[in-house]
Amino acid sequence: MVIFGATGDLTKRKLFPALYSLAAEHLLAPDFAVLAVGREATETDQSFREKMLAALKESDEVKNFDDAVWQLLAQRVFYSGGDASDAQCYEGIKVRLAEIEHARPEEERNRFFYLAVPPSVFEPIVRHLSESGLVPKHEDSKARPWARVVVEKPFGHSLETARALNALVLTLFAEHQVYRIDHFLGKETVQNVLVLRFANSIFEPLWNRRWVSHVQITAAEAVGVEARGKYYEEAGVVRDMFQNHLLQLLALTAMEPPPAMTADAVRDEKVKVLKSVRWMTPESIPTSAVRAQYSAGAVKGNLLSGYRDEPDVARDSQTPTYAAARFYIDNWRWKGVPFYLRSGKRMAKRYSEIAVTFQSPPHLMFGGEGNNRELQPNVLVLRVQPNEGVSLNFEVKVPGAAVALTQHLEVAPVDMDFSYSEAFGETAAPAYETLLLDVMIGEMTLFTRSDEVEAAWKIIDPLLNYWSEHIASPMPTYPAGSWGPAEADRLISLDGARWRTP
Ligand code: BG6
């Protein structure tokens, strides 16, 4: 594994904890090795190992740190300094790889190159990888040794730039060599969406416009932009969360059953559903989408600053940290069913879920005086994080014999709940662990294909363009630590629905 951007945040926060966990579970080949490439010229193998060790000890993804596991992995971790946009750097990489791999036969020198770098350096790196011969184009996916390229999001900044990037990448490499990461797909519960839908027969007959009234997909974060103000100002919540994570959740929820669980069969279905999402227009956007920024607020007595006061953020920034939007999928299954998507930073808590709300019963005879609570429709909730699991809520009769006195049954909502940790113990593997292993074994189902990325940009582009042309004045706000702006409540209430507040 060659990591570009080795001294960056992702490497220490996600990649090394994932590698450590794979090592602890004996899922790495004995001679697996990492060559970390970073700008720091003075860094050495030893000093880099020490930094990664410190990062692992701090990581909350590493439970029960075992020094023996680390020692074995650490001796297979190497560092090479250089500027990855310069051809010289690749000569250095070749030299180091030759040392590391010298004992292996040529056809076993499989390599993957992980681009944990800002999008501005994607292009030079992929070009150099190709020109240096480190990643030759292999039309045949069975060719050995294999060479793969893993790209982090964001993949492009717009439909146009994503297309250009795809065009470039696919001239240099074959599609099967390119692993576009959307780490949400590595989350246990996200993969479970397909299992729940297609390994059970009770859900699928209800999974359509006849029985579903609407779907809410939420990815709420408690954190603010932290030290990423510079990146975030350019990205904003729509590029950061909607174009990839939320649309992936929508695609998995709404897609048709694939003929097989193979990478292409699953991705074909996802592309089909993304292509059926109705495009927003300048006429529909004002009543279909809301943007906002967090303002100062307090959480558990701690004062939190507003977005415009965060480091590297313009005082008059127009970048939304929250968005909510109503989408429609124009196909036979979903026509007319609203899919509400929302995501924000600095919300009340970290919580992601997919909630499928079913139609209310056509006729209710349990109302009556003294029991005028509105009955809740059934909701099937797939909790993505935290407390991963599934719950179904339904109405039951409250026990007691009061019926005779009051002439009506008392009815109350209850939850039937499945929790991963209760059922299986602490098993949810961090997303990056799953995804790194998939790269190594050549399993592409959880990675986005070029046409899928473009289909997602097509959905998002009209919204981004409209918002960049129509300044919000004033920009709606929500206090840090809240559930979002009042404008979003209005958006959903137009259809007689309400946001769920878990
Ligand atoms: C990333 C975004 O893709 O996902 C971040 O760039 C966001 O802004 C993160 O915080 C959320 O991921 P997770 O796994 O922490 O929910």
Side-chain angles (χ1 to χ4, degrees):
M1 175 181 190
V2 179
I3 306 178
F4 291 99
T7 45
D9 222 36
L10 185 78
T11 304
K12 62 172 193 266
R13 279 188 37 224
K14 298 288 182 190
L15 300 182
F16 266 84
L19 289 173
Y20 169 86
S21 305
L22 289 170
E25 289 163 50
H26 308 288
L27 289 169
L28 294 178
D31 50 2
F32 171 83
V34 180
L35 178 60
V37 182
R39 276 175 168 272
E40 283 297 328
T42 52
E43 194 86 73
T44 62
D45 291 348
Q46 197 46 37
S47 66
F48 183 75
R49 289 171 188 163
E50 280 160 17
K51 282 193 180 137
M52 292 305 110
L53 172 62
L56 288 179
K57 287 189 170 163
E58 269 176 26
S59 167
D60 41 358
E61 285 184 9
V62 175
K63 314 234 158 51
N64 311 324
F65 177 78
D66 178 350
D67 197 53
V69 171
W70 168 246
Q71 290 310 331
L72 274 179
L73 177 62
Q75 40 172 298
R76 308 288 303 152
V77 172
F78 306 91
Y79 182 85
S80 176
D83 174 359
S85 52
D86 176 3
Q88 203 52 41
C89 175
Y90 298 78
E91 294 311 310
I93 294 175
K94 282 186 185 169
V95 171
R96 293 297 328 251
L97 286 178
E99 292 161 17
I100 297 167
E101 298 173 324
H102 72 276
R104 305 296 297 171
E106 177 69 29
E107 69 279 8
E108 288 179 17
R109 295 181 188 174
N110 300 318
R111 298 165 179 168
F112 67 105
F113 296 82
Y114 198 111
L115 275 59
V117 295
S120 54
V121 277
F122 279 0
E123 198 178 314
I125 295 183
V126 290
R127 283 188 194 281
H128 286 305
L129 282 176
S130 170
E131 281 160 17
S132 63
L134 281 165
V135 184
K137 186 170 187 171
H138 286 151
E139 295 300 348
D140 178 5
S141 63
K142 302 263 179 316
R144 292 295 177 270
W146 50 253
R148 299 173 181 151
V149 178
V150 188
V151 219
E152 266 294 331
K153 68 166 260 280
F155 196 81
H157 192 71
S158 60
L159 176 60
E160 196 188 337
T161 51
R163 271 190 181 141
L165 204 51
N166 270 332
L168 169 70
V169 164
L170 295 177
T171 354
L172 306 174
F173 319 119
E175 178 75 55
H176 70 82
Q177 294 179 278
V178 185
Y179 288 69
R180 297 175 193 78
I181 290 242
D182 182 318
H183 81 280
F184 260 53
L185 292 177
K187 292 182 194 278
E188 206 77 65
T189 14
V190 174
Q191 296 169 64
N192 190 42
V193 177
L194 293 188
V195 178
L196 190 86
R197 288 189 55 197
F198 304 132
N200 297 291
S201 58
I202 58 170
F203 300 115
E204 215 34 37
L206 306 177
W207 215 259
N208 57 48
R209 60 193 300 273
R210 213 160 149 227
W211 298 105
V212 174
S213 88
H214 72 270
V215 178
Q216 284 186 32
I217 300 179
T218 300
E221 296 190 84
V223 292
V225 288
E226 300 179 294
R228 297 161 78 215
K230 221 159 152 194
Y231 153 78
Y232 202 83
E233 274 284 89
E234 288 285 307
V237 66
V238 178
R239 287 190 181 90
D240 193 45
M241 298 294 288
F242 276 63
Q243 189 276 337
N244 30 71
H245 309 326
L246 291 189
L247 284 180
Q248 284 295 327
L249 296 184
L250 174 141
L252 292 168
T253 309
M255 69 190 244
E256 294 302 316
M261 269 304 284
T262 60
D264 275 331
V266 171
R267 297 189 292 180
D268 285 348
E269 294 304 335
K270 284 200 283 168
V271 171
K272 261 163 56 188
V273 86
L274 291 172
K275 284 187 174 169
S276 311
V277 173
R278 189 184 304 167
W279 292 347
M280 290 188 175
T281 61
E283 291 71 41
S284 70
I285 288 172
T287 53
S288 317
V290 162
R291 57 183 148 169
Q293 282 173 345
Y294 57 86
S295 54
V299 173
K300 293 186 189 141
N302 293 330
L303 291 180
L304 300 169
S305 44
Y307 177 63
R308 291 184 179 183
D309 294 322
E310 298 277 20
D312 296 323
V313 171
R315 297 294 163 254
D316 57 353
S317 168
Q318 278 286 320
T319 303
T321 60
Y322 172 100
R326 181 196 307 104
F327 290 97
Y328 286 104
I329 300 173
D330 287 337
N331 64 17
W332 276 57
R333 189 191 276 265
W334 295 116
K335 183 84 184 182
V337 178
F339 280 71
Y340 301 103
L341 272 51
R342 68 175 163 160
S343 179
K345 297 262 183 214
R346 280 274 185 256
M347 291 182 65
K349 62 180 196 182
R350 177 173 188 251
Y351 190 81
S352 300
E353 66 166 29
I354 301 167
V356 180
T357 302
F358 292 90
Q359 303 283 6
S360 297
H363 172 64
L364 287 175
M365 52 283 191
F366 303 110
E369 245 176 274
N371 191 22
N372 51 11
R373 182 182 67 80
E374 235 179 88
L375 294 191
Q376 304 294 318
N378 301 122
V379 187
L380 180 71
V381 180
L382 314 184
R383 287 190 306 272
V384 173
Q385 64 191 18
N387 188 17
E388 290 80 356
V390 180
S391 77
L392 176 66
N393 112 315
F394 45 75
E395 301 281 340
V396 296
K397 175 189 172 300
V398 176
V403 181
L405 291 176
T406 57
Q407 300 296 302
H408 69 263
L409 291 174
E410 205 181 327
V411 176
V414 291
D415 279 341
M416 188 158 74
D417 197 72
F418 154 72
S419 144
Y420 261 94
S421 59
E422 272 173 34
F424 298 106
E426 216 28 88
T427 52
Y432 277 91
E433 190 183 332
T434 308
L435 296 174
L436 284 180
L437 188 60
D438 280 355
V439 174
M440 296 184 224
I441 61 174
E443 167 54 63
M444 301 196 88
T445 311
L446 302 180
F447 297 84
T448 46
R449 208 169 54 190
S450 50
D451 51 346
E452 198 176 344
V453 172
E454 290 178 19
W457 276 116
K458 268 194 195 155
I459 298 170
I460 291 306
D461 246 24
L463 185 60
L464 289 171
N465 292 340
Y466 182 87
W467 279 347
S468 75
E469 284 158 16
H470 298 78
I471 299 280
S473 135
M475 171 67 83
T477 56
Y478 57 102
S482 71
W483 275 109
E487 286 78 356
D489 297 339
R490 276 201 287 283
L491 171 93
I492 195 166
S493 68
L494 290 176
D495 307 334
R498 260 196 309 253
W499 292 113
R500 290 168 41 77
T501 45

